[in-house]
Amino acid sequence: MSHRVIEAVLGPIETRIIEDAPVPEDEPPPPPPKIETPPPFVPPPEVAIEVPMDAAPTTAIRQTTTQAPVAQPPPAPAPVAVARTAPKSDARRPLTQPEYPPSSRRAGETGTVVLEVYVLENGRAGDVRIKQSSGFPKLDEAAVREVKRSWRLVPGTENGKPTPMWGQFAVTFKLTD
């Protein structure tokens, strides 16, 4: 029954066969466009002009360049006064003396070690360098170890704000026995 409904609605179907389109024969591709080659570079001839030595010096331009001149940087601003204070020891927390190395004590070694200490904003030692040795490596090492381990300092300031900076401190080793 549905087959009859489709025939009544659509009606007869007509078909035709269309011939295939002709295939063009293989044609060669078009030739590439002709590009004019630039003439070869010929450097200008060198010309030497001799000027007699008796002539007065000239103010003519003697050298030319093909580079544009480099722009000069703007002038540096006037230096601003910076209120700077160096790191120092804290009176409320006196600096501790390093433990005297026993072998140095027995050998009677004494001296002063001058240390450069990089004091952080919190007062701790960030880095320690020996600026001037006591002459005895064990005393120098004991001083550096003590600074890194337990020293608390007042940090240096710039315009009133704590700023990490280097400070110089001396540690003296002397025998009191």
Side-chain angles (χ1 to χ4, degrees):
M1 182 142 143
S2 63
H3 187 36
R4 287 185 192 165
V5 170
I6 291 175
E7 286 179 7
V9 172
L10 294 179
I13 297 176
E14 185 178 316
T15 60
R16 290 188 199 162
I17 297 177
I18 301 175
E19 292 182 27
D20 291 336
V23 177
E25 295 180 21
D26 290 337
E27 293 181 15
K34 292 184 180 180
I35 300 174
E36 291 185 27
T37 58
F41 175 74
V42 178
E46 291 186 30
V47 178
I49 300 175
E50 294 184 25
V51 179
M53 297 305 281
D54 333 347
T58 63
T59 58
I61 297 174
R62 293 179 184 253
Q63 183 179 9
T64 60
T65 63
T66 58
Q67 297 175 346
V70 178
Q72 296 295 324
V80 178
V82 176
R84 186 180 263 184
T85 60
K88 57 187 175 189
S89 60
D90 189 353
R92 293 178 290 165
R93 295 186 76 181
L95 302 178
T96 56
Q97 185 68 22
E99 184 178 328
Y100 219 114
S103 60
S104 295
R105 184 184 299 275
R106 284 191 302 273
E109 298 173 347
T110 61
T112 300
V113 184
V114 179
L115 301 172
E116 287 184 334
V117 181
Y118 189 69
V119 182
L120 303 173
E121 290 114 345
N122 62 5
R124 288 184 151 273
D127 192 15
V128 181
R129 296 189 294 210
I130 298 171
K131 182 170 184 179
Q132 182 180 349
S133 174
S134 65
F136 303 101
K138 288 188 180 184
L139 297 181
D140 298 345
E141 291 170 13
V144 169
R145 189 172 37 254
E146 182 67 18
V147 170
K148 286 182 176 180
R149 183 176 64 86
S150 65
W151 278 19
R152 298 295 176 273
L153 303 160
V154 176
T157 60
E158 283 185 4
N159 294 328
K161 293 178 77 175
T163 305
M165 66 176 65
W166 289 96
Q168 192 169 320
F169 299 90
V171 178
T172 303
F173 289 91
K174 61 183 175 182
L175 294 169
T176 56
D177 294 332

